[in-house]
């Protein structure tokens, strides 16, 4: 009589898969964001191509994450960590790059303002760049760090936590008496 192979559960198989690391996902998104933000003035189809690429990569990452790695453990996070300052720096550099491409390497400013001298065109480029950086800064101030719904949820959870702590303290005080 031959021995039947033991059935292995799906949970056991998944527990022996490698851990999921989202660094590569963030890293590839930063590269794609860089392509769009730095070179969209010289290649206007870049955002569309990056969108298509990201949709394909999203599906592939979901498949690979479900089939070949352990299920990630859910953890609270206050944000995207070090990637936020990277995105902010990239967006400022992107403004500068695109203004330089449009103003310095194309004849677009000469078409828009044909009667300006070369020095006046440089001044227009400089002013335009400062307007865009000012708008970038103002949008950063106007967009809240947390939505109103999230603020309400946080306040509700804090209230619940304090109520539970007070109930626990009251219960411990009455047990000691």
């Amino acid at each position: 009589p031959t021995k039947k192979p033991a059935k292995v559960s799906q949970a056991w198989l998944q527990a022996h898969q490698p851990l999921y690391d989202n660094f590569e996902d963030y890293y590839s998104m930063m590269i794609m964001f860089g392509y769009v933000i730095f070179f969209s003035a010289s290649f206007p189809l870049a955002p569309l191509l990056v969108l298509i690429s990201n949709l394909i990569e999203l599906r592939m990452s979901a498949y690979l994450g479900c089939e070949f790695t352990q299920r990630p453990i859910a953890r609270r996070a206050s944000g995207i960590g070090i990637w936020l300052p990277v995105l902010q720096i990239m967006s400022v550099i992107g403004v500068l790059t695109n203004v330089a491409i449009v103003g310095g390497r194309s004849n677009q400013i000469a078409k828009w303002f044909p009667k300006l001298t070369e020095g006046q065109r440089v001044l227009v480029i400089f002013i335009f760049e400062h307007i865009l950086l000012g708008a970038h800064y103002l949008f950063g101030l106007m967009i809240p760090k947390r939505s109103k719904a999230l603020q309400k949820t946080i306040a509700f959870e804090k209230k619940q936590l304090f109520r539970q702590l007070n109930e626990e303290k009251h219960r411990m005080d009455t047990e000691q008496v």
Side-chain angles (χ1 to χ4, degrees), residues 32 35-36 39-53:
M32 294 297 185
Y35 284 140
V36 169
F39 305 114
S40 60
S42 61
F43 184 57
L45 281 178
L48 177 64
L49 294 176
V50 166
L51 174 67
I52 292 168
S53 171

Side-chain angles (χ1 to χ4, degrees), residues 106-121:
S106 74
N107 58 357
Q108 195 66 41
I109 300 296
K111 287 180 183 178
W112 289 341
F113 307 106
K115 296 183 180 181
L116 294 180
T117 66
E118 191 64 35
Q120 290 171 329
R121 286 186 191 133

Side-chain angles (χ1 to χ4, degrees), residues 42 50 58 62 64 71 85 91 106 109 127 130-132 142 176:
S42 61
V50 166
L58 177 69
L64 293 174
R71 196 176 295 174
S91 64
S106 74
I109 300 296
I127 291 170
H130 274 64
I131 289 170
L132 288 176
M142 290 181 352
Q176 289 179 355

